[in-house]
Amino acid sequence: MEAKVNQPDMKQHKVNQHKVNQPDTTQHKVNQHRLNMPEIDKPEVGESEIKGIENLSYMEKKHLLAQLSRDRKKDPKSGPWEITDIRRGGWETIKDYLIQPIKIELNDSGKEETVRVWFDITDLERELEAGEIR
């Protein structure tokens, strides 16, 4: 019996050795996936193409650039733009979210017409923008 007590547990040693020598491929797969993903967050419209954009908040700019980028994909002739009117509605509750509707009117010199863009800014986005949430 004494011989068994003094012998090291080889099964436990082998299991631990296997875990130490096994390469972690999880991170590699995630990074590889990101490399192959198309860049959908990068807007195709730049702030320099929109006259008057400096009057918008960061989140409003972000939403407007995203919408105009989607519009440009549908019609490459659109742009550059000039903001002619910004209307911010009062805060409303929709479902469980507090939102502020915003309507922006722009002159689209590429198509020679007025464009209206409507979107909602959530209370959470305003707080993030103001740096109140960390």
Side-chain angles (χ1 to χ4, degrees):
M1 280 193 151
E2 286 183 33
K4 289 183 181 178
V5 173
N6 292 333
Q7 287 182 347
D9 186 2
M10 295 305 286
K11 290 180 184 175
Q12 184 65 32
H13 177 71
K14 287 179 183 176
V15 169
N16 289 340
Q17 184 66 27
H18 179 68
K19 286 182 181 177
V20 171
N21 291 335
Q22 184 178 9
D24 182 14
T25 58
T26 308
Q27 187 66 32
H28 175 70
K29 288 179 183 175
V30 170
N31 290 338
Q32 184 66 33
H33 179 68
R34 286 185 183 159
L35 291 174
N36 294 332
M37 285 178 51
E39 290 192 31
I40 55 174
D41 296 333
K42 189 175 180 181
E44 292 185 12
V45 173
E47 288 186 27
S48 61
E49 296 180 75
I50 307 168
K51 186 176 180 181
I53 197 167
E54 61 275 358
N55 297 323
L56 300 178
S57 73
Y58 172 77
M59 288 296 171
E60 292 168 346
K61 288 177 188 177
K62 180 180 170 183
H63 283 278
L64 180 62
L65 289 170
Q67 181 60 49
L68 294 176
S69 293
R70 287 189 293 268
D71 292 348
R72 180 173 273 170
K73 284 181 183 178
K74 293 176 187 173
D75 185 2
K77 295 178 186 176
S78 61
W81 300 267
E82 179 180 357
I83 295 176
T84 57
D85 192 24
I86 303 168
R87 294 185 194 145
R88 293 175 181 90
W91 288 96
E92 304 172 12
T93 303
I94 296 181
K95 296 187 180 180
D96 291 336
Y97 297 99
L98 190 61
I99 60 111
Q100 181 184 31
I102 298 167
K103 182 171 93 174
I104 300 174
E105 290 187 6
L106 307 109
N107 282 332
D108 186 339
S109 58
K111 295 193 294 186
E112 296 182 10
E113 63 183 29
T114 299
V115 178
R116 285 192 183 118
V117 178
W118 291 333
F119 53 86
D120 297 325
I121 299 291
T122 66
D123 188 39
L124 175 62
E125 287 175 314
R126 288 280 188 216
E127 290 174 9
L128 287 170
E129 183 177 59
E132 295 173 6
I133 296 178
R134 293 182 184 170

